[in-house]
Amino acid sequence: MEQPIQSPAAASAASEALASAIGARLRDLRRLPALAHEVAFEVEPDRLLEVCRTLRDDPELRFELLMDVCGVDYLQYGREEWLTTGATRTGFSRAREVNAPVDPDMPGRFAVVYQLLSITHNRRLRLRVICADTREPIVDSVVEVWPGANWFEREAFDLFGIMFRGHPDLRRILTDYGFIGHPFRKDFPLIGNVETRYDPEKKRVVYEPVSIVPRVLAPKVIRHDNRYEPALTAPELPR
Amino acid sequence: MQANSPTTAAAPASAPGNLAEIRNYTMNFGPQHPSAHGVLRLVLEMDGEAIQKADPHIGLLHRATEKLAESKPFNHSIGYMDRLDYVSMMCNEHAYVLAIERLLGITPPLRAQYIRVMFDEITRILNHLMWLGAHALDIGAMTVFLLCFKEREELMDVYEAVSGTRMHATYYRPGGVYRDLPTSMPQYQASKWRSAKEVERLNATRSGSMLDFIDAFAERFPAAVADYETLLTDNRIWKQRTVNIGVVPPERAMALGFSGPMLRGSGVVWDLRKKQPYEVYDRMDFDIPVGTNGDCYDRYLVRVEELRQSTRIIRQCVDWLRRNPGPVMLDERKVRPPSRVHMKEDMESLIHHFKFFTEGYVVPEGDTYAAVEAPKGEFGIYLISDGANKPYRLKVRAPGFAHLAALAEMVRGHMLADVVAVIGTQDIVFGEVDR
């Protein structure tokens, strides 16, 4: 059966070649774990622009296209809503109870992920920047390197509240005019904070606090599947 | 469209003293305008008939698809993907299931890969027919729209026969496709409105299997494309409205993050199906059309040629699928529900079925970016999993979002009527722009 992209060996060889090319030009970038055919690096916020310019202009790298900018909120990362161990005693309410609260100011909460594409060399690269300050997350804008970043950064600002230093026009883009809050943050409720209806007395649409109660239908659960443990999925073992 | 009161932004004070002061007008285009292709609100600053500045306001169709997906098990969101770009449904599903499959480390059976490629191309034809009809209608050609929708209806029937719905198929699943291709096509019945003779004509290609029906479609479709071209390609009005409108040089197209026909129209040879092939595209024989000038006309030619190339791919898939029966879903209990037969006699299968459709399966920790060549460009899914049964973060990279961001630049200096041509050439669908 064929592999979806290329053989794993060829894919990881190509990835290693790209990683060493980047390592030779940009020192001290931390390589992030990724699938065999993907390459990901972490950039310090203060070096972002320098790194991006090199990635775009160096003839060996030439990442001409910025495909995507993605905000990430790591607040609930690895936290489950359903604790399997000893849950049988408590019944259905176990899924509705919120686990121990997390500190919303935890360091490293917000990150921005960039997907780059090189048409010249037919390669992809992923960059991640962790915002230094969680209360006021801010990173440099890459609009001057890739003009296409404009709306993607506006979106990350709108949905996560991540600010982009040097962005020419950092306005909200997807949410309503006059929207309050950043809806894709993990501590923003899925059903929102306000709802609208037409008020026949005031003869206009009014905003009110939501009248429904948030409810989790399928709780988030993390199960440790043996088949995904690296030691057990080594090639010599049967799956 | 309605003109608002003049703004304070005055034109350069070049007018001599006794002439009336000339000011730019701010005009509101949409959000409910037939050629805004959905819910686009454009705030245009006009100097007479010419556009000085355009500010697209989007988000009127924002449904927080990504956040919704983060709140439910992986398989529950496949149907949401159809509703992103709602004229190229299965391509969206494709990127999503591809991302899940890569994190799970599974590969669907070969037959499922061929089915996916075939339906990706059927979807491309669906999308381009919709685009061609709407684009021509916007610029003033009514006939093309009717002709396009005639063929589109046939392909919608294929969607319906394979998945049960005309649009929101939820047909691709991690590990393969939901079921094998049906062996028969639904037939028209005679009624008060359809005579027996008419029904016989309509059912002529529907007597065999679905593959026969698709094959018959692919057989006659190039002639239909030739018809569209007769109406448009050398049409004087069509050329006046599209040649040299919205020109984007190749370097600029790359800097702006264009992809798909928008990039190829500018002369950049880039198609994920060739350059980073997924599924069985590397076994397919087809060409990538590219433009030279990067204007609306070139992008039109590129998309029309893609209709023909997609037909070629479909025929190759039909040929292979006829000769090679086999499983269409991976025999992997984590991603495949148990059969109904097992469920009725086996308690464990019943439990498995229940857990599969409520809690779902867990996906190992990690992140991946999966991109497919959707009809509009690169449709990518960036998926972060923290080892749970739901995505931790799902980011949809919609091609239309990057294209619409460049609208202001593409229409600057053009006439108001050209805005409509540029919106048309970008092939904007708000389901994916607003998500």
Side-chain angles (χ1 to χ4, degrees), chain B residues 246-254 258 260-269 289-295 298-299 302 410:
Chain B
V247 179
V248 186
E251 302 76 34
R252 194 65 194 158
M254 287 196 268
F258 279 15
M262 296 291 289
L263 193 58
R264 292 194 284 276
S266 297
V268 183
V269 188
V290 287
T292 45
N293 304 321
D295 58 7
D298 277 21
R299 289 186 281 268
V302 165
M410 286 174 76

Short mmCIF file of all heavy atoms in Angstrom, two decimals, chain B residues 246-254 258 260-269 289-295 298-299 302 410:
data_model
loop_
_atom_site.label_atom_id
_atom_site.label_comp_id
_atom_site.label_asym_id
_atom_site.label_seq_id
_atom_site.Cartn_x
_atom_site.Cartn_y
_atom_site.Cartn_z
N GLY B 246 -7.81 43.45 -12.68
CA GLY B 246 -7.29 42.75 -11.50
C GLY B 246 -6.00 42.02 -11.77
O GLY B 246 -5.86 40.86 -11.42
N VAL B 247 -5.03 42.69 -12.38
CA VAL B 247 -3.76 42.04 -12.72
C VAL B 247 -2.91 41.87 -11.45
O VAL B 247 -2.74 42.81 -10.68
CB VAL B 247 -2.98 42.86 -13.76
CG1 VAL B 247 -1.66 42.18 -14.09
CG2 VAL B 247 -3.81 43.05 -15.01
N VAL B 248 -2.39 40.65 -11.26
CA VAL B 248 -1.49 40.38 -10.13
C VAL B 248 -0.22 39.75 -10.69
O VAL B 248 -0.28 38.66 -11.24
CB VAL B 248 -2.14 39.42 -9.11
CG1 VAL B 248 -1.25 39.29 -7.89
CG2 VAL B 248 -3.51 39.89 -8.71
N PRO B 249 0.93 40.43 -10.56
CA PRO B 249 2.17 39.80 -11.02
C PRO B 249 2.54 38.60 -10.14
O PRO B 249 2.12 38.54 -8.98
CB PRO B 249 3.21 40.92 -10.87
CG PRO B 249 2.51 42.10 -10.35
CD PRO B 249 1.13 41.75 -9.99
N PRO B 250 3.31 37.65 -10.69
CA PRO B 250 3.59 36.42 -9.93
C PRO B 250 4.24 36.66 -8.57
O PRO B 250 3.87 36.01 -7.60
CB PRO B 250 4.51 35.63 -10.87
CG PRO B 250 4.86 36.52 -11.99
CD PRO B 250 3.84 37.59 -12.06
N GLU B 251 5.21 37.58 -8.49
CA GLU B 251 5.89 37.80 -7.20
C GLU B 251 4.89 38.30 -6.16
O GLU B 251 4.90 37.90 -5.01
CB GLU B 251 7.01 38.84 -7.33
CG GLU B 251 8.10 38.51 -8.34
CD GLU B 251 7.64 38.75 -9.78
OE1 GLU B 251 6.85 39.70 -9.98
OE2 GLU B 251 8.05 37.99 -10.66
N ARG B 252 4.02 39.20 -6.64
CA ARG B 252 3.04 39.76 -5.73
C ARG B 252 2.04 38.68 -5.28
O ARG B 252 1.63 38.64 -4.13
CB ARG B 252 2.31 40.92 -6.43
CG ARG B 252 1.51 41.82 -5.54
CD ARG B 252 2.38 42.58 -4.57
NE ARG B 252 1.56 43.19 -3.52
CZ ARG B 252 2.02 43.55 -2.33
NH1 ARG B 252 3.29 43.38 -2.04
NH2 ARG B 252 1.23 44.09 -1.44
N ALA B 253 1.66 37.82 -6.22
CA ALA B 253 0.71 36.76 -5.88
C ALA B 253 1.29 35.87 -4.79
O ALA B 253 0.57 35.46 -3.88
CB ALA B 253 0.39 35.93 -7.12
N MET B 254 2.59 35.61 -4.86
CA MET B 254 3.20 34.77 -3.83
C MET B 254 3.28 35.53 -2.51
O MET B 254 3.00 34.97 -1.45
CB MET B 254 4.59 34.34 -4.27
CG MET B 254 4.56 33.29 -5.36
SD MET B 254 6.12 32.46 -5.55
CE MET B 254 6.90 33.45 -6.78
N PHE B 258 -1.35 33.84 -2.24
CA PHE B 258 -2.33 33.25 -3.15
C PHE B 258 -2.03 31.76 -3.34
O PHE B 258 -0.92 31.30 -3.15
CB PHE B 258 -2.26 33.93 -4.53
CG PHE B 258 -3.00 35.24 -4.59
CD1 PHE B 258 -3.39 35.88 -3.44
CD2 PHE B 258 -3.29 35.83 -5.81
CE1 PHE B 258 -4.06 37.09 -3.49
CE2 PHE B 258 -3.96 37.05 -5.88
CZ PHE B 258 -4.34 37.67 -4.72
N GLY B 260 -3.74 28.05 -5.68
CA GLY B 260 -4.72 27.55 -6.64
C GLY B 260 -4.74 28.35 -7.93
O GLY B 260 -3.72 28.90 -8.34
N PRO B 261 -5.91 28.43 -8.56
CA PRO B 261 -5.99 29.13 -9.85
C PRO B 261 -5.56 30.60 -9.78
O PRO B 261 -5.12 31.16 -10.77
CB PRO B 261 -7.48 29.03 -10.22
CG PRO B 261 -7.98 27.87 -9.46
CD PRO B 261 -7.19 27.81 -8.20
N MET B 262 -5.68 31.22 -8.61
CA MET B 262 -5.25 32.61 -8.48
C MET B 262 -3.74 32.73 -8.67
O MET B 262 -3.24 33.70 -9.20
CB MET B 262 -5.61 33.16 -7.10
CG MET B 262 -7.08 33.24 -6.82
SD MET B 262 -7.92 34.48 -7.82
CE MET B 262 -7.31 35.98 -7.10
N LEU B 263 -3.01 31.72 -8.20
CA LEU B 263 -1.56 31.72 -8.35
C LEU B 263 -1.18 31.27 -9.76
O LEU B 263 -0.30 31.86 -10.40
CB LEU B 263 -0.97 30.77 -7.29
CG LEU B 263 0.53 30.81 -7.02
CD1 LEU B 263 0.95 32.19 -6.58
CD2 LEU B 263 0.88 29.81 -5.94
N ARG B 264 -1.86 30.24 -10.23
CA ARG B 264 -1.54 29.72 -11.57
C ARG B 264 -1.91 30.73 -12.64
O ARG B 264 -1.25 30.82 -13.67
CB ARG B 264 -2.26 28.39 -11.80
CG ARG B 264 -1.75 27.29 -10.93
CD ARG B 264 -2.24 25.93 -11.40
NE ARG B 264 -3.62 25.69 -11.05
CZ ARG B 264 -4.02 25.22 -9.88
NH1 ARG B 264 -3.13 24.97 -8.95
NH2 ARG B 264 -5.29 25.00 -9.63
N GLY B 265 -2.97 31.50 -12.42
CA GLY B 265 -3.34 32.53 -13.39
C GLY B 265 -2.24 33.54 -13.59
O GLY B 265 -2.11 34.15 -14.65
N SER B 266 -1.42 33.75 -12.54
CA SER B 266 -0.31 34.69 -12.65
C SER B 266 0.94 34.04 -13.22
O SER B 266 1.98 34.68 -13.29
CB SER B 266 0.01 35.27 -11.27
OG SER B 266 -1.07 36.01 -10.78
N GLY B 267 0.86 32.76 -13.57
CA GLY B 267 1.99 32.13 -14.24
C GLY B 267 2.89 31.33 -13.34
O GLY B 267 3.95 30.88 -13.77
N VAL B 268 2.52 31.12 -12.07
CA VAL B 268 3.33 30.30 -11.18
C VAL B 268 2.86 28.85 -11.32
O VAL B 268 1.69 28.56 -11.13
CB VAL B 268 3.18 30.75 -9.72
CG1 VAL B 268 4.08 29.93 -8.82
CG2 VAL B 268 3.50 32.22 -9.59
N VAL B 269 3.78 27.98 -11.68
CA VAL B 269 3.41 26.57 -11.87
C VAL B 269 3.40 25.91 -10.50
O VAL B 269 4.43 25.49 -9.99
CB VAL B 269 4.40 25.85 -12.81
CG1 VAL B 269 3.89 24.46 -13.14
CG2 VAL B 269 4.60 26.65 -14.06
N PRO B 289 -2.79 23.78 -16.07
CA PRO B 289 -2.81 24.99 -16.89
C PRO B 289 -2.30 26.19 -16.09
O PRO B 289 -2.59 26.31 -14.90
CB PRO B 289 -4.29 25.14 -17.24
CG PRO B 289 -5.02 24.43 -16.16
CD PRO B 289 -4.12 23.37 -15.63
N VAL B 290 -1.52 27.05 -16.74
CA VAL B 290 -1.10 28.29 -16.09
C VAL B 290 -1.37 29.47 -17.03
O VAL B 290 -1.36 29.31 -18.26
CB VAL B 290 0.39 28.30 -15.70
CG1 VAL B 290 0.66 27.42 -14.53
CG2 VAL B 290 1.25 27.92 -16.87
N GLY B 291 -1.59 30.63 -16.44
CA GLY B 291 -1.81 31.84 -17.23
C GLY B 291 -0.51 32.57 -17.46
O GLY B 291 0.57 32.11 -17.07
N THR B 292 -0.59 33.72 -18.13
CA THR B 292 0.61 34.52 -18.34
C THR B 292 0.47 35.93 -17.79
O THR B 292 1.42 36.48 -17.24
CB THR B 292 0.94 34.63 -19.85
OG1 THR B 292 -0.28 34.93 -20.54
CG2 THR B 292 1.51 33.33 -20.38
N ASN B 293 -0.71 36.53 -17.92
CA ASN B 293 -0.85 37.93 -17.55
C ASN B 293 -1.33 38.15 -16.12
O ASN B 293 -1.18 39.23 -15.58
CB ASN B 293 -1.85 38.63 -18.48
CG ASN B 293 -1.45 38.48 -19.93
OD1 ASN B 293 -0.26 38.56 -20.24
ND2 ASN B 293 -2.41 38.22 -20.79
N GLY B 294 -1.93 37.14 -15.53
CA GLY B 294 -2.44 37.30 -14.18
C GLY B 294 -3.67 38.19 -14.09
O GLY B 294 -3.90 38.82 -13.07
N ASP B 295 -4.46 38.26 -15.14
CA ASP B 295 -5.70 39.04 -15.08
C ASP B 295 -6.90 38.11 -14.98
O ASP B 295 -6.76 36.88 -14.99
CB ASP B 295 -5.81 40.00 -16.27
CG ASP B 295 -5.75 39.25 -17.60
OD1 ASP B 295 -5.76 38.00 -17.58
OD2 ASP B 295 -5.71 39.91 -18.65
N ASP B 298 -7.18 35.41 -17.75
CA ASP B 298 -6.28 34.26 -17.63
C ASP B 298 -6.77 33.29 -16.57
O ASP B 298 -6.70 32.07 -16.75
CB ASP B 298 -4.87 34.73 -17.28
CG ASP B 298 -4.10 35.16 -18.50
OD1 ASP B 298 -4.77 35.46 -19.51
OD2 ASP B 298 -2.86 35.19 -18.46
N ARG B 299 -7.26 33.85 -15.48
CA ARG B 299 -7.77 32.96 -14.43
C ARG B 299 -9.01 32.21 -14.93
O ARG B 299 -9.22 31.05 -14.57
CB ARG B 299 -8.07 33.76 -13.17
CG ARG B 299 -6.82 34.25 -12.48
CD ARG B 299 -7.13 34.92 -11.17
NE ARG B 299 -7.61 36.27 -11.33
CZ ARG B 299 -6.84 37.35 -11.32
NH1 ARG B 299 -5.55 37.22 -11.14
NH2 ARG B 299 -7.34 38.55 -11.47
N VAL B 302 -7.66 29.39 -17.06
CA VAL B 302 -7.08 28.34 -16.22
C VAL B 302 -8.18 27.45 -15.66
O VAL B 302 -8.11 26.22 -15.74
CB VAL B 302 -6.26 28.97 -15.07
CG1 VAL B 302 -5.97 27.95 -13.98
CG2 VAL B 302 -4.96 29.55 -15.59
N MET B 410 -6.36 44.63 -5.48
CA MET B 410 -6.70 44.28 -6.86
C MET B 410 -7.66 45.25 -7.51
O MET B 410 -7.67 45.39 -8.73
CB MET B 410 -7.29 42.86 -6.91
CG MET B 410 -6.23 41.79 -6.73
SD MET B 410 -6.96 40.15 -6.61
CE MET B 410 -7.36 39.81 -8.32
#
